[in-house]
PDB file of all heavy atoms in Angstrom:
ATOM      1  N   CYS A 132      -3.056  -4.309  10.697  1.00  0.00           N
ATOM      2  CA  CYS A 132      -3.988  -4.448  11.833  1.00  0.00           C
ATOM      3  C   CYS A 132      -3.295  -5.117  13.003  1.00  0.00           C
ATOM      4  O   CYS A 132      -2.552  -6.069  12.871  1.00  0.00           O
ATOM      5  CB  CYS A 132      -5.216  -5.256  11.413  1.00  0.00           C
ATOM      6  SG  CYS A 132      -6.245  -4.423  10.205  1.00  0.00           S
ATOM      7  N   ASP A 133      -3.679  -4.655  14.209  1.00  0.00           N
ATOM      8  CA  ASP A 133      -3.175  -5.220  15.435  1.00  0.00           C
ATOM      9  C   ASP A 133      -4.327  -5.973  16.129  1.00  0.00           C
ATOM     10  O   ASP A 133      -5.323  -5.387  16.453  1.00  0.00           O
ATOM     11  CB  ASP A 133      -2.660  -4.085  16.344  1.00  0.00           C
ATOM     12  CG  ASP A 133      -2.318  -4.565  17.738  1.00  0.00           C
ATOM     13  OD1 ASP A 133      -1.979  -5.761  17.898  1.00  0.00           O
ATOM     14  OD2 ASP A 133      -2.412  -3.750  18.688  1.00  0.00           O
ATOM     15  N   TYR A 134      -4.127  -7.297  16.323  1.00  0.00           N
ATOM     16  CA  TYR A 134      -5.119  -8.127  16.953  1.00  0.00           C
ATOM     17  C   TYR A 134      -4.657  -8.685  18.323  1.00  0.00           C
ATOM     18  O   TYR A 134      -5.227  -9.640  18.830  1.00  0.00           O
ATOM     19  CB  TYR A 134      -5.527  -9.307  16.051  1.00  0.00           C
ATOM     20  CG  TYR A 134      -6.088  -8.889  14.724  1.00  0.00           C
ATOM     21  CD1 TYR A 134      -5.388  -9.088  13.532  1.00  0.00           C
ATOM     22  CD2 TYR A 134      -7.355  -8.341  14.633  1.00  0.00           C
ATOM     23  CE1 TYR A 134      -5.892  -8.729  12.322  1.00  0.00           C
ATOM     24  CE2 TYR A 134      -7.890  -7.946  13.416  1.00  0.00           C
ATOM     25  CZ  TYR A 134      -7.163  -8.174  12.256  1.00  0.00           C
ATOM     26  OH  TYR A 134      -7.697  -7.814  11.037  1.00  0.00           O
ATOM     27  N   SER A 135      -3.645  -8.060  18.869  1.00  0.00           N
ATOM     28  CA  SER A 135      -3.117  -8.578  20.147  1.00  0.00           C
ATOM     29  C   SER A 135      -4.198  -8.515  21.233  1.00  0.00           C
ATOM     30  O   SER A 135      -4.960  -7.550  21.336  1.00  0.00           O
ATOM     31  CB  SER A 135      -1.883  -7.776  20.600  1.00  0.00           C
ATOM     32  OG  SER A 135      -2.202  -6.396  20.739  1.00  0.00           O
ATOM     33  N   GLY A 136      -4.283  -9.595  22.037  1.00  0.00           N
ATOM     34  CA  GLY A 136      -5.271  -9.674  23.104  1.00  0.00           C
ATOM     35  C   GLY A 136      -6.657 -10.056  22.591  1.00  0.00           C
ATOM     36  O   GLY A 136      -7.621 -10.054  23.390  1.00  0.00           O
ATOM     37  N   ARG A 137      -6.754 -10.403  21.312  1.00  0.00           N
ATOM     38  CA  ARG A 137      -8.030 -10.804  20.740  1.00  0.00           C
ATOM     39  C   ARG A 137      -7.958 -12.254  20.258  1.00  0.00           C
ATOM     40  O   ARG A 137      -6.932 -12.806  20.023  1.00  0.00           O
ATOM     41  CB  ARG A 137      -8.389  -9.872  19.553  1.00  0.00           C
ATOM     42  CG  ARG A 137      -8.727  -8.437  19.995  1.00  0.00           C
ATOM     43  CD  ARG A 137      -9.018  -7.552  18.797  1.00  0.00           C
ATOM     44  NE  ARG A 137      -9.351  -6.206  19.191  1.00  0.00           N
ATOM     45  CZ  ARG A 137     -10.594  -5.709  19.234  1.00  0.00           C
ATOM     46  NH1 ARG A 137     -11.614  -6.487  18.866  1.00  0.00           N
ATOM     47  NH2 ARG A 137     -10.816  -4.475  19.598  1.00  0.00           N
ATOM     48  N   VAL A 138      -9.158 -12.864  20.190  1.00  0.00           N
ATOM     49  CA  VAL A 138      -9.291 -14.249  19.784  1.00  0.00           C
ATOM     50  C   VAL A 138     -10.077 -14.306  18.473  1.00  0.00           C
ATOM     51  O   VAL A 138     -11.160 -13.743  18.374  1.00  0.00           O
ATOM     52  CB  VAL A 138     -10.021 -15.052  20.880  1.00  0.00           C
ATOM     53  CG1 VAL A 138     -10.194 -16.515  20.422  1.00  0.00           C
ATOM     54  CG2 VAL A 138      -9.250 -15.009  22.199  1.00  0.00           C
ATOM     55  N   HIS A 139      -9.499 -15.025  17.492  1.00  0.00           N
ATOM     56  CA  HIS A 139     -10.180 -15.130  16.186  1.00  0.00           C
ATOM     57  C   HIS A 139     -11.367 -16.078  16.279  1.00  0.00           C
ATOM     58  O   HIS A 139     -11.323 -17.104  16.929  1.00  0.00           O
ATOM     59  CB  HIS A 139      -9.211 -15.628  15.121  1.00  0.00           C
ATOM     60  CG  HIS A 139      -9.852 -15.885  13.793  1.00  0.00           C
ATOM     61  ND1 HIS A 139     -10.268 -17.127  13.385  1.00  0.00           N
ATOM     62  CD2 HIS A 139     -10.192 -15.023  12.802  1.00  0.00           C
ATOM     63  CE1 HIS A 139     -10.829 -17.026  12.210  1.00  0.00           C
ATOM     64  NE2 HIS A 139     -10.789 -15.750  11.825  1.00  0.00           N
ATOM     65  N   ALA A 140     -12.435 -15.694  15.593  1.00  0.00           N
ATOM     66  CA  ALA A 140     -13.625 -16.556  15.492  1.00  0.00           C
ATOM     67  C   ALA A 140     -14.243 -16.364  14.116  1.00  0.00           C
ATOM     68  O   ALA A 140     -13.998 -15.325  13.452  1.00  0.00           O
ATOM     69  CB  ALA A 140     -14.616 -16.246  16.601  1.00  0.00           C
ATOM     70  N   LEU A 141     -15.020 -17.322  13.683  1.00  0.00           N
ATOM     71  CA  LEU A 141     -15.743 -17.245  12.433  1.00  0.00           C
ATOM     72  C   LEU A 141     -17.221 -17.038  12.718  1.00  0.00           C
ATOM     73  O   LEU A 141     -17.854 -17.883  13.372  1.00  0.00           O
ATOM     74  CB  LEU A 141     -15.541 -18.472  11.587  1.00  0.00           C
ATOM     75  CG  LEU A 141     -16.200 -18.404  10.194  1.00  0.00           C
ATOM     76  CD1 LEU A 141     -15.553 -17.385   9.330  1.00  0.00           C
ATOM     77  CD2 LEU A 141     -16.126 -19.780   9.507  1.00  0.00           C
ATOM     78  N   TRP A 142     -17.760 -15.957  12.295  1.00  0.00           N
ATOM     79  CA  TRP A 142     -19.186 -15.626  12.452  1.00  0.00           C
ATOM     80  C   TRP A 142     -19.878 -15.972  11.149  1.00  0.00           C
ATOM     81  O   TRP A 142     -19.597 -15.416  10.102  1.00  0.00           O
ATOM     82  CB  TRP A 142     -19.320 -14.144  12.797  1.00  0.00           C
ATOM     83  CG  TRP A 142     -20.701 -13.588  12.928  1.00  0.00           C
ATOM     84  CD1 TRP A 142     -21.864 -14.280  13.100  1.00  0.00           C
ATOM     85  CD2 TRP A 142     -21.045 -12.222  12.907  1.00  0.00           C
ATOM     86  NE1 TRP A 142     -22.913 -13.442  13.190  1.00  0.00           N
ATOM     87  CE2 TRP A 142     -22.440 -12.149  13.077  1.00  0.00           C
ATOM     88  CE3 TRP A 142     -20.342 -11.020  12.744  1.00  0.00           C
ATOM     89  CZ2 TRP A 142     -23.119 -10.935  13.092  1.00  0.00           C
ATOM     90  CZ3 TRP A 142     -20.994  -9.819  12.789  1.00  0.00           C
ATOM     91  CH2 TRP A 142     -22.398  -9.794  12.946  1.00  0.00           C
ATOM     92  N   ASN A 143     -20.844 -16.873  11.268  1.00  0.00           N
ATOM     93  CA  ASN A 143     -21.614 -17.266  10.057  1.00  0.00           C
ATOM     94  C   ASN A 143     -23.069 -16.861  10.235  1.00  0.00           C
ATOM     95  O   ASN A 143     -23.707 -17.117  11.242  1.00  0.00           O
ATOM     96  CB  ASN A 143     -21.556 -18.788   9.842  1.00  0.00           C
ATOM     97  CG  ASN A 143     -22.504 -19.229   8.717  1.00  0.00           C
ATOM     98  OD1 ASN A 143     -23.599 -19.666   8.974  1.00  0.00           O
ATOM     99  ND2 ASN A 143     -22.089 -19.070   7.497  1.00  0.00           N
ATOM    100  N   LEU A 144     -23.589 -16.230   9.199  1.00  0.00           N
ATOM    101  CA  LEU A 144     -25.023 -15.991   9.092  1.00  0.00           C
ATOM    102  C   LEU A 144     -25.506 -16.637   7.793  1.00  0.00           C
ATOM    103  O   LEU A 144     -24.981 -16.358   6.721  1.00  0.00           O
ATOM    104  CB  LEU A 144     -25.318 -14.487   9.026  1.00  0.00           C
ATOM    105  CG  LEU A 144     -26.767 -14.105   8.630  1.00  0.00           C
ATOM    106  CD1 LEU A 144     -27.751 -14.591   9.665  1.00  0.00           C
ATOM    107  CD2 LEU A 144     -26.901 -12.609   8.386  1.00  0.00           C
ATOM    108  N   THR A 145     -26.459 -17.543   7.914  1.00  0.00           N
ATOM    109  CA  THR A 145     -27.075 -18.153   6.761  1.00  0.00           C
ATOM    110  C   THR A 145     -28.532 -17.775   6.743  1.00  0.00           C
ATOM    111  O   THR A 145     -29.277 -18.055   7.715  1.00  0.00           O
ATOM    112  CB  THR A 145     -26.922 -19.701   6.808  1.00  0.00           C
ATOM    113  OG1 THR A 145     -25.529 -20.056   6.785  1.00  0.00           O
ATOM    114  CG2 THR A 145     -27.607 -20.332   5.614  1.00  0.00           C
ATOM    115  N   THR A 146     -28.963 -17.155   5.674  1.00  0.00           N
ATOM    116  CA  THR A 146     -30.340 -16.690   5.603  1.00  0.00           C
ATOM    117  C   THR A 146     -31.207 -17.675   4.847  1.00  0.00           C
ATOM    118  O   THR A 146     -30.752 -18.473   4.047  1.00  0.00           O
ATOM    119  CB  THR A 146     -30.422 -15.331   4.860  1.00  0.00           C
ATOM    120  OG1 THR A 146     -29.896 -15.449   3.551  1.00  0.00           O
ATOM    121  CG2 THR A 146     -29.616 -14.283   5.624  1.00  0.00           C
ATOM    122  N   GLY A 147     -32.512 -17.605   5.129  1.00  0.00           N
ATOM    123  CA  GLY A 147     -33.500 -18.346   4.380  1.00  0.00           C
ATOM    124  C   GLY A 147     -34.257 -17.380   3.511  1.00  0.00           C
ATOM    125  O   GLY A 147     -33.682 -16.546   2.817  1.00  0.00           O
ATOM    126  N   SER A 148     -35.594 -17.493   3.564  1.00  0.00           N
ATOM    127  CA  SER A 148     -36.391 -16.563   2.769  1.00  0.00           C
ATOM    128  C   SER A 148     -36.422 -15.173   3.454  1.00  0.00           C
ATOM    129  O   SER A 148     -36.198 -15.060   4.631  1.00  0.00           O
ATOM    130  CB  SER A 148     -37.824 -17.097   2.684  1.00  0.00           C
ATOM    131  OG  SER A 148     -38.384 -17.290   3.996  1.00  0.00           O
ATOM    132  N   TRP A 149     -36.650 -14.189   2.629  1.00  0.00           N
ATOM    133  CA  TRP A 149     -36.762 -12.816   3.113  1.00  0.00           C
ATOM    134  C   TRP A 149     -35.539 -12.394   3.940  1.00  0.00           C
ATOM    135  O   TRP A 149     -35.654 -11.965   5.087  1.00  0.00           O
ATOM    136  CB  TRP A 149     -38.047 -12.599   3.931  1.00  0.00           C
ATOM    137  CG  TRP A 149     -39.280 -12.848   3.145  1.00  0.00           C
ATOM    138  CD1 TRP A 149     -40.076 -13.966   3.152  1.00  0.00           C
ATOM    139  CD2 TRP A 149     -39.869 -11.961   2.172  1.00  0.00           C
ATOM    140  NE1 TRP A 149     -41.115 -13.849   2.304  1.00  0.00           N
ATOM    141  CE2 TRP A 149     -41.005 -12.634   1.667  1.00  0.00           C
ATOM    142  CE3 TRP A 149     -39.536 -10.721   1.669  1.00  0.00           C
ATOM    143  CZ2 TRP A 149     -41.823 -12.051   0.665  1.00  0.00           C
ATOM    144  CZ3 TRP A 149     -40.333 -10.124   0.707  1.00  0.00           C
ATOM    145  CH2 TRP A 149     -41.461 -10.815   0.206  1.00  0.00           C
ATOM    146  N   GLY A 150     -34.378 -12.544   3.350  1.00  0.00           N
ATOM    147  CA  GLY A 150     -33.106 -12.161   4.023  1.00  0.00           C
ATOM    148  C   GLY A 150     -33.065 -10.715   4.407  1.00  0.00           C
ATOM    149  O   GLY A 150     -32.382 -10.345   5.386  1.00  0.00           O
ATOM    150  N   SER A 151     -33.774  -9.867   3.695  1.00  0.00           N
ATOM    151  CA  SER A 151     -33.754  -8.441   3.994  1.00  0.00           C
ATOM    152  C   SER A 151     -34.444  -8.098   5.309  1.00  0.00           C
ATOM    153  O   SER A 151     -34.307  -6.981   5.813  1.00  0.00           O
ATOM    154  CB  SER A 151     -34.413  -7.643   2.853  1.00  0.00           C
ATOM    155  OG  SER A 151     -35.757  -8.030   2.699  1.00  0.00           O
TER     156      SER A 151
END
Side-chain angles (χ1 to χ4, degrees):
C132 293
D133 171 27
Y134 299 110
S135 58
R137 292 177 178 257
V138 178
H139 175 262
L141 184 66
W142 176 18
N143 173 263
L144 168 65
T145 298
T146 60
S148 59
W149 299 101
S151 61

